[in-house]
Amino acid sequence: MIEATLLFDHDHAFFGEIETHGGTFRHAMLSEAGERRLESHLREWQVRGVPVLREVVRSNVSGHPVVFFQERVQVRTQGFLQAARQWFESHGIAAITVDRDVLRCWSHIARLPLDPRERFLLLISLRGSRRADLLACEKTLLEAVEAADVGREKMTKAIGKLWDRAAKELVAKFAA
Amino acid sequence: MGIDFEKLGWGASTEQETVSSDSCHFRSMHKALERVGGGHVPHAAVEEMAVKVAPEAEVLKTSGERRTTKVVKAVLKGMMSHLPTYAMPTKDNGREWELHALEAIHEGSDKGGNV
């Protein structure tokens, strides 16, 4: 089964998506912010594996002290997703694994003129929705994307007209 | 219970980022000159006009983006009222919402659910 895990920083900025299959790494797509924050780690993981902190309780004469040790989980193993999630969590990065329906909705949400927190809010809400509701939501999200495209087009035209008017004024001035 | 978009602040305009720079306006001016088939216009005059028009272009951009955001949120409003409310903040308790959302993430995580 293919899983998509969406990554966000503590300000809800979108860092990108990691695709896994049964927990095994397949590929990652990072946003610009995500590249800055995570690219070097992902490269390192592919070579050395994901660092994971484990703990064990050791019995000795003085009691049961907890001992921590670090091990590396290779990206081509089923433990990758869990290890990566643990790493993200300890580094203040929200990792939200979603199914295909929610992922499709997210691709629409990402195109909407909303702030990062609003997008994150929508994603979390949709993730908790029933499938039937999700399909209806996707339709609405598409309508919103279309409305946004129309709005942007109108704005671009209006700004273009403004520059054209100024250009004509300049041309007339220097043609004279 | 549905979501109160007014409380969320979704009904109101959001702050818009200003991405345009002087060089961007200068480029816009040049493109417009190409569109209207302008002849030779001195560089200084192009620059001067770009600086003059830039504030109005910014206003159009900001108001256009605000309008678009409002329309989009109006479209989403109906949908939001059908979504689970546990992750819904009010404008004043965004922090509370964040905690709810994180709780939801951890709950799912503990259950090995869809997280």
Side-chain angles (χ1 to χ4, degrees), chain B residues 82-108:
Chain B
H82 294 289
L83 291 176
T85 52
Y86 64 82
M88 298 302 150
T90 64
K91 199 174 184 179
D92 301 327
N93 71 355
R95 181 69 192 150
E96 192 180 332
W97 165 75
E98 282 184 20
L99 291 175
H100 278 298
L102 288 174
E103 272 168 20
I105 292 166
H106 286 297
E107 275 170 25

PDB file of all heavy atoms in Angstrom, chain B residues 82-108:
ATOM      1  N   HIS B  82     -19.672  21.171   7.255  1.00  0.00           N
ATOM      2  CA  HIS B  82     -19.899  19.724   7.318  1.00  0.00           C
ATOM      3  C   HIS B  82     -18.687  18.951   7.820  1.00  0.00           C
ATOM      4  O   HIS B  82     -18.727  17.740   7.957  1.00  0.00           O
ATOM      5  CB  HIS B  82     -20.288  19.200   5.930  1.00  0.00           C
ATOM      6  CG  HIS B  82     -21.607  19.730   5.458  1.00  0.00           C
ATOM      7  ND1 HIS B  82     -22.796  19.338   6.004  1.00  0.00           N
ATOM      8  CD2 HIS B  82     -21.894  20.653   4.522  1.00  0.00           C
ATOM      9  CE1 HIS B  82     -23.784  19.989   5.410  1.00  0.00           C
ATOM     10  NE2 HIS B  82     -23.261  20.793   4.515  1.00  0.00           N
ATOM     11  N   LEU B  83     -17.605  19.655   8.051  1.00  0.00           N
ATOM     12  CA  LEU B  83     -16.385  18.953   8.469  1.00  0.00           C
ATOM     13  C   LEU B  83     -16.358  18.777   9.985  1.00  0.00           C
ATOM     14  O   LEU B  83     -17.014  19.510  10.711  1.00  0.00           O
ATOM     15  CB  LEU B  83     -15.150  19.737   8.011  1.00  0.00           C
ATOM     16  CG  LEU B  83     -14.923  19.739   6.499  1.00  0.00           C
ATOM     17  CD1 LEU B  83     -13.733  20.618   6.151  1.00  0.00           C
ATOM     18  CD2 LEU B  83     -14.707  18.342   5.969  1.00  0.00           C
ATOM     19  N   PRO B  84     -15.569  17.824  10.459  1.00  0.00           N
ATOM     20  CA  PRO B  84     -15.475  17.619  11.911  1.00  0.00           C
ATOM     21  C   PRO B  84     -15.037  18.900  12.602  1.00  0.00           C
ATOM     22  O   PRO B  84     -14.217  19.647  12.060  1.00  0.00           O
ATOM     23  CB  PRO B  84     -14.379  16.561  12.047  1.00  0.00           C
ATOM     24  CG  PRO B  84     -14.312  15.902  10.728  1.00  0.00           C
ATOM     25  CD  PRO B  84     -14.721  16.901   9.711  1.00  0.00           C
ATOM     26  N   THR B  85     -15.597  19.149  13.744  1.00  0.00           N
ATOM     27  CA  THR B  85     -15.335  20.429  14.404  1.00  0.00           C
ATOM     28  C   THR B  85     -14.168  20.382  15.384  1.00  0.00           C
ATOM     29  O   THR B  85     -13.738  21.403  15.862  1.00  0.00           O
ATOM     30  CB  THR B  85     -16.584  20.907  15.178  1.00  0.00           C
ATOM     31  OG1 THR B  85     -16.988  19.844  16.015  1.00  0.00           O
ATOM     32  CG2 THR B  85     -17.691  21.278  14.239  1.00  0.00           C
ATOM     33  N   TYR B  86     -13.647  19.199  15.671  1.00  0.00           N
ATOM     34  CA  TYR B  86     -12.618  19.139  16.704  1.00  0.00           C
ATOM     35  C   TYR B  86     -11.381  19.953  16.362  1.00  0.00           C
ATOM     36  O   TYR B  86     -10.664  20.395  17.230  1.00  0.00           O
ATOM     37  CB  TYR B  86     -12.230  17.688  17.018  1.00  0.00           C
ATOM     38  CG  TYR B  86     -11.590  16.951  15.867  1.00  0.00           C
ATOM     39  CD1 TYR B  86     -10.236  17.092  15.586  1.00  0.00           C
ATOM     40  CD2 TYR B  86     -12.338  16.131  15.057  1.00  0.00           C
ATOM     41  CE1 TYR B  86      -9.652  16.423  14.529  1.00  0.00           C
ATOM     42  CE2 TYR B  86     -11.772  15.455  14.000  1.00  0.00           C
ATOM     43  CZ  TYR B  86     -10.426  15.613  13.746  1.00  0.00           C
ATOM     44  OH  TYR B  86      -9.851  14.959  12.702  1.00  0.00           O
ATOM     45  N   ALA B  87     -11.141  20.137  15.074  1.00  0.00           N
ATOM     46  CA  ALA B  87      -9.923  20.844  14.686  1.00  0.00           C
ATOM     47  C   ALA B  87     -10.191  22.309  14.364  1.00  0.00           C
ATOM     48  O   ALA B  87      -9.383  22.977  13.771  1.00  0.00           O
ATOM     49  CB  ALA B  87      -9.293  20.165  13.481  1.00  0.00           C
ATOM     50  N   MET B  88     -11.362  22.785  14.743  1.00  0.00           N
ATOM     51  CA  MET B  88     -11.735  24.133  14.347  1.00  0.00           C
ATOM     52  C   MET B  88     -11.449  25.166  15.423  1.00  0.00           C
ATOM     53  O   MET B  88     -11.997  25.093  16.515  1.00  0.00           O
ATOM     54  CB  MET B  88     -13.240  24.173  14.027  1.00  0.00           C
ATOM     55  CG  MET B  88     -13.601  23.285  12.897  1.00  0.00           C
ATOM     56  SD  MET B  88     -12.660  23.743  11.445  1.00  0.00           S
ATOM     57  CE  MET B  88     -12.545  22.179  10.640  1.00  0.00           C
ATOM     58  N   PRO B  89     -10.630  26.106  15.123  1.00  0.00           N
ATOM     59  CA  PRO B  89     -10.337  27.135  16.115  1.00  0.00           C
ATOM     60  C   PRO B  89     -11.306  28.300  15.985  1.00  0.00           C
ATOM     61  O   PRO B  89     -11.995  28.436  14.978  1.00  0.00           O
ATOM     62  CB  PRO B  89      -8.963  27.615  15.699  1.00  0.00           C
ATOM     63  CG  PRO B  89      -8.991  27.478  14.217  1.00  0.00           C
ATOM     64  CD  PRO B  89      -9.875  26.306  13.900  1.00  0.00           C
ATOM     65  N   THR B  90     -11.390  29.102  16.992  1.00  0.00           N
ATOM     66  CA  THR B  90     -11.994  30.416  16.796  1.00  0.00           C
ATOM     67  C   THR B  90     -10.808  31.338  16.627  1.00  0.00           C
ATOM     68  O   THR B  90      -9.658  30.940  16.838  1.00  0.00           O
ATOM     69  CB  THR B  90     -12.811  30.846  18.029  1.00  0.00           C
ATOM     70  OG1 THR B  90     -11.899  30.965  19.099  1.00  0.00           O
ATOM     71  CG2 THR B  90     -13.888  29.841  18.342  1.00  0.00           C
ATOM     72  N   LYS B  91     -11.078  32.578  16.258  1.00  0.00           N
ATOM     73  CA  LYS B  91      -9.966  33.487  16.025  1.00  0.00           C
ATOM     74  C   LYS B  91      -9.161  33.674  17.311  1.00  0.00           C
ATOM     75  O   LYS B  91      -7.956  33.858  17.288  1.00  0.00           O
ATOM     76  CB  LYS B  91     -10.513  34.838  15.555  1.00  0.00           C
ATOM     77  CG  LYS B  91      -9.468  35.682  14.868  1.00  0.00           C
ATOM     78  CD  LYS B  91     -10.096  36.923  14.297  1.00  0.00           C
ATOM     79  CE  LYS B  91      -9.082  37.727  13.512  1.00  0.00           C
ATOM     80  NZ  LYS B  91      -9.670  38.918  12.936  1.00  0.00           N
ATOM     81  N   ASP B  92      -9.872  33.579  18.445  1.00  0.00           N
ATOM     82  CA  ASP B  92      -9.214  33.869  19.715  1.00  0.00           C
ATOM     83  C   ASP B  92      -8.496  32.677  20.316  1.00  0.00           C
ATOM     84  O   ASP B  92      -7.650  32.821  21.164  1.00  0.00           O
ATOM     85  CB  ASP B  92     -10.250  34.367  20.747  1.00  0.00           C
ATOM     86  CG  ASP B  92     -10.941  35.604  20.243  1.00  0.00           C
ATOM     87  OD1 ASP B  92     -10.270  36.368  19.540  1.00  0.00           O
ATOM     88  OD2 ASP B  92     -12.128  35.785  20.530  1.00  0.00           O
ATOM     89  N   ASN B  93      -8.893  31.481  19.912  1.00  0.00           N
ATOM     90  CA  ASN B  93      -8.256  30.326  20.565  1.00  0.00           C
ATOM     91  C   ASN B  93      -7.525  29.433  19.572  1.00  0.00           C
ATOM     92  O   ASN B  93      -7.614  28.227  19.627  1.00  0.00           O
ATOM     93  CB  ASN B  93      -9.276  29.530  21.384  1.00  0.00           C
ATOM     94  CG  ASN B  93     -10.251  28.774  20.512  1.00  0.00           C
ATOM     95  OD1 ASN B  93     -10.208  28.931  19.288  1.00  0.00           O
ATOM     96  ND2 ASN B  93     -11.084  27.959  21.104  1.00  0.00           N
ATOM     97  N   GLY B  94      -6.817  30.098  18.698  1.00  0.00           N
ATOM     98  CA  GLY B  94      -6.030  29.345  17.727  1.00  0.00           C
ATOM     99  C   GLY B  94      -5.116  28.340  18.400  1.00  0.00           C
ATOM    100  O   GLY B  94      -4.930  27.238  17.929  1.00  0.00           O
ATOM    101  N   ARG B  95      -4.597  28.739  19.536  1.00  0.00           N
ATOM    102  CA  ARG B  95      -3.697  27.856  20.270  1.00  0.00           C
ATOM    103  C   ARG B  95      -4.431  26.570  20.660  1.00  0.00           C
ATOM    104  O   ARG B  95      -3.906  25.476  20.536  1.00  0.00           O
ATOM    105  CB  ARG B  95      -3.198  28.598  21.514  1.00  0.00           C
ATOM    106  CG  ARG B  95      -2.234  27.803  22.346  1.00  0.00           C
ATOM    107  CD  ARG B  95      -0.903  27.619  21.639  1.00  0.00           C
ATOM    108  NE  ARG B  95      -0.094  26.639  22.311  1.00  0.00           N
ATOM    109  CZ  ARG B  95       0.796  25.867  21.709  1.00  0.00           C
ATOM    110  NH1 ARG B  95       0.961  25.968  20.423  1.00  0.00           N
ATOM    111  NH2 ARG B  95       1.506  25.011  22.377  1.00  0.00           N
ATOM    112  N   GLU B  96      -5.675  26.778  21.130  1.00  0.00           N
ATOM    113  CA  GLU B  96      -6.465  25.622  21.546  1.00  0.00           C
ATOM    114  C   GLU B  96      -6.665  24.675  20.367  1.00  0.00           C
ATOM    115  O   GLU B  96      -6.553  23.477  20.480  1.00  0.00           O
ATOM    116  CB  GLU B  96      -7.812  26.090  22.074  1.00  0.00           C
ATOM    117  CG  GLU B  96      -8.578  24.990  22.789  1.00  0.00           C
ATOM    118  CD  GLU B  96      -9.902  25.507  23.299  1.00  0.00           C
ATOM    119  OE1 GLU B  96     -10.003  26.716  23.575  1.00  0.00           O
ATOM    120  OE2 GLU B  96     -10.820  24.698  23.384  1.00  0.00           O
ATOM    121  N   TRP B  97      -6.935  25.279  19.195  1.00  0.00           N
ATOM    122  CA  TRP B  97      -7.121  24.454  18.016  1.00  0.00           C
ATOM    123  C   TRP B  97      -5.857  23.662  17.709  1.00  0.00           C
ATOM    124  O   TRP B  97      -5.912  22.498  17.406  1.00  0.00           O
ATOM    125  CB  TRP B  97      -7.470  25.318  16.803  1.00  0.00           C
ATOM    126  CG  TRP B  97      -7.307  24.516  15.557  1.00  0.00           C
ATOM    127  CD1 TRP B  97      -8.143  23.549  15.091  1.00  0.00           C
ATOM    128  CD2 TRP B  97      -6.195  24.533  14.677  1.00  0.00           C
ATOM    129  NE1 TRP B  97      -7.636  22.976  13.970  1.00  0.00           N
ATOM    130  CE2 TRP B  97      -6.443  23.557  13.687  1.00  0.00           C
ATOM    131  CE3 TRP B  97      -5.017  25.268  14.611  1.00  0.00           C
ATOM    132  CZ2 TRP B  97      -5.553  23.327  12.652  1.00  0.00           C
ATOM    133  CZ3 TRP B  97      -4.143  25.031  13.579  1.00  0.00           C
ATOM    134  CH2 TRP B  97      -4.407  24.070  12.619  1.00  0.00           C
ATOM    135  N   GLU B  98      -4.730  24.339  17.823  1.00  0.00           N
ATOM    136  CA  GLU B  98      -3.480  23.640  17.514  1.00  0.00           C
ATOM    137  C   GLU B  98      -3.331  22.410  18.396  1.00  0.00           C
ATOM    138  O   GLU B  98      -2.965  21.359  17.923  1.00  0.00           O
ATOM    139  CB  GLU B  98      -2.296  24.577  17.732  1.00  0.00           C
ATOM    140  CG  GLU B  98      -2.121  25.542  16.592  1.00  0.00           C
ATOM    141  CD  GLU B  98      -0.900  26.411  16.757  1.00  0.00           C
ATOM    142  OE1 GLU B  98      -0.007  26.037  17.517  1.00  0.00           O
ATOM    143  OE2 GLU B  98      -0.867  27.464  16.140  1.00  0.00           O
ATOM    144  N   LEU B  99      -3.675  22.573  19.658  1.00  0.00           N
ATOM    145  CA  LEU B  99      -3.565  21.443  20.574  1.00  0.00           C
ATOM    146  C   LEU B  99      -4.513  20.331  20.167  1.00  0.00           C
ATOM    147  O   LEU B  99      -4.155  19.179  20.131  1.00  0.00           O
ATOM    148  CB  LEU B  99      -3.868  21.903  22.010  1.00  0.00           C
ATOM    149  CG  LEU B  99      -2.816  22.827  22.619  1.00  0.00           C
ATOM    150  CD1 LEU B  99      -3.274  23.302  23.981  1.00  0.00           C
ATOM    151  CD2 LEU B  99      -1.484  22.104  22.748  1.00  0.00           C
ATOM    152  N   HIS B 100      -5.731  20.742  19.812  1.00  0.00           N
ATOM    153  CA  HIS B 100      -6.710  19.739  19.376  1.00  0.00           C
ATOM    154  C   HIS B 100      -6.185  18.973  18.175  1.00  0.00           C
ATOM    155  O   HIS B 100      -6.263  17.769  18.110  1.00  0.00           O
ATOM    156  CB  HIS B 100      -8.025  20.418  18.989  1.00  0.00           C
ATOM    157  CG  HIS B 100      -8.885  20.721  20.164  1.00  0.00           C
ATOM    158  ND1 HIS B 100      -9.379  19.747  20.976  1.00  0.00           N
ATOM    159  CD2 HIS B 100      -9.319  21.895  20.667  1.00  0.00           C
ATOM    160  CE1 HIS B 100     -10.099  20.302  21.933  1.00  0.00           C
ATOM    161  NE2 HIS B 100     -10.068  21.610  21.773  1.00  0.00           N
ATOM    162  N   ALA B 101      -5.645  19.746  17.226  1.00  0.00           N
ATOM    163  CA  ALA B 101      -5.159  19.120  15.996  1.00  0.00           C
ATOM    164  C   ALA B 101      -4.027  18.152  16.318  1.00  0.00           C
ATOM    165  O   ALA B 101      -4.000  17.040  15.829  1.00  0.00           O
ATOM    166  CB  ALA B 101      -4.683  20.191  15.028  1.00  0.00           C
ATOM    167  N   LEU B 102      -3.130  18.588  17.174  1.00  0.00           N
ATOM    168  CA  LEU B 102      -2.001  17.726  17.515  1.00  0.00           C
ATOM    169  C   LEU B 102      -2.464  16.487  18.270  1.00  0.00           C
ATOM    170  O   LEU B 102      -1.975  15.396  18.052  1.00  0.00           O
ATOM    171  CB  LEU B 102      -0.971  18.507  18.338  1.00  0.00           C
ATOM    172  CG  LEU B 102      -0.196  19.535  17.516  1.00  0.00           C
ATOM    173  CD1 LEU B 102       0.685  20.371  18.413  1.00  0.00           C
ATOM    174  CD2 LEU B 102       0.662  18.849  16.459  1.00  0.00           C
ATOM    175  N   GLU B 103      -3.458  16.696  19.158  1.00  0.00           N
ATOM    176  CA  GLU B 103      -4.014  15.543  19.872  1.00  0.00           C
ATOM    177  C   GLU B 103      -4.548  14.527  18.872  1.00  0.00           C
ATOM    178  O   GLU B 103      -4.322  13.344  18.992  1.00  0.00           O
ATOM    179  CB  GLU B 103      -5.160  15.990  20.771  1.00  0.00           C
ATOM    180  CG  GLU B 103      -4.695  16.423  22.157  1.00  0.00           C
ATOM    181  CD  GLU B 103      -5.802  17.131  22.906  1.00  0.00           C
ATOM    182  OE1 GLU B 103      -6.980  16.947  22.529  1.00  0.00           O
ATOM    183  OE2 GLU B 103      -5.472  17.869  23.818  1.00  0.00           O
ATOM    184  N   ALA B 104      -5.240  15.068  17.877  1.00  0.00           N
ATOM    185  CA  ALA B 104      -5.822  14.188  16.868  1.00  0.00           C
ATOM    186  C   ALA B 104      -4.731  13.405  16.161  1.00  0.00           C
ATOM    187  O   ALA B 104      -4.862  12.209  15.913  1.00  0.00           O
ATOM    188  CB  ALA B 104      -6.613  15.008  15.860  1.00  0.00           C
ATOM    189  N   ILE B 105      -3.623  14.099  15.886  1.00  0.00           N
ATOM    190  CA  ILE B 105      -2.517  13.429  15.205  1.00  0.00           C
ATOM    191  C   ILE B 105      -1.963  12.320  16.089  1.00  0.00           C
ATOM    192  O   ILE B 105      -1.769  11.200  15.671  1.00  0.00           O
ATOM    193  CB  ILE B 105      -1.400  14.445  14.885  1.00  0.00           C
ATOM    194  CG1 ILE B 105      -1.897  15.431  13.829  1.00  0.00           C
ATOM    195  CG2 ILE B 105      -0.145  13.742  14.370  1.00  0.00           C
ATOM    196  CD1 ILE B 105      -1.020  16.650  13.699  1.00  0.00           C
ATOM    197  N   HIS B 106      -1.760  12.648  17.359  1.00  0.00           N
ATOM    198  CA  HIS B 106      -1.178  11.649  18.258  1.00  0.00           C
ATOM    199  C   HIS B 106      -2.125  10.483  18.501  1.00  0.00           C
ATOM    200  O   HIS B 106      -1.700   9.345  18.568  1.00  0.00           O
ATOM    201  CB  HIS B 106      -0.772  12.308  19.576  1.00  0.00           C
ATOM    202  CG  HIS B 106       0.454  13.136  19.410  1.00  0.00           C
ATOM    203  ND1 HIS B 106       1.649  12.582  19.039  1.00  0.00           N
ATOM    204  CD2 HIS B 106       0.665  14.467  19.510  1.00  0.00           C
ATOM    205  CE1 HIS B 106       2.556  13.536  18.939  1.00  0.00           C
ATOM    206  NE2 HIS B 106       1.984  14.685  19.214  1.00  0.00           N
ATOM    207  N   GLU B 107      -3.420  10.801  18.622  1.00  0.00           N
ATOM    208  CA  GLU B 107      -4.397   9.721  18.824  1.00  0.00           C
ATOM    209  C   GLU B 107      -4.306   8.727  17.687  1.00  0.00           C
ATOM    210  O   GLU B 107      -4.214   7.538  17.891  1.00  0.00           O
ATOM    211  CB  GLU B 107      -5.822  10.290  18.862  1.00  0.00           C
ATOM    212  CG  GLU B 107      -6.228  10.778  20.232  1.00  0.00           C
ATOM    213  CD  GLU B 107      -7.525  11.549  20.165  1.00  0.00           C
ATOM    214  OE1 GLU B 107      -8.289  11.312  19.236  1.00  0.00           O
ATOM    215  OE2 GLU B 107      -7.737  12.384  21.047  1.00  0.00           O
ATOM    216  N   GLY B 108      -4.325   9.279  16.477  1.00  0.00           N
ATOM    217  CA  GLY B 108      -4.247   8.416  15.294  1.00  0.00           C
ATOM    218  C   GLY B 108      -2.959   7.631  15.298  1.00  0.00           C
ATOM    219  O   GLY B 108      -2.926   6.451  14.970  1.00  0.00           O
TER     220      GLY B 108
END
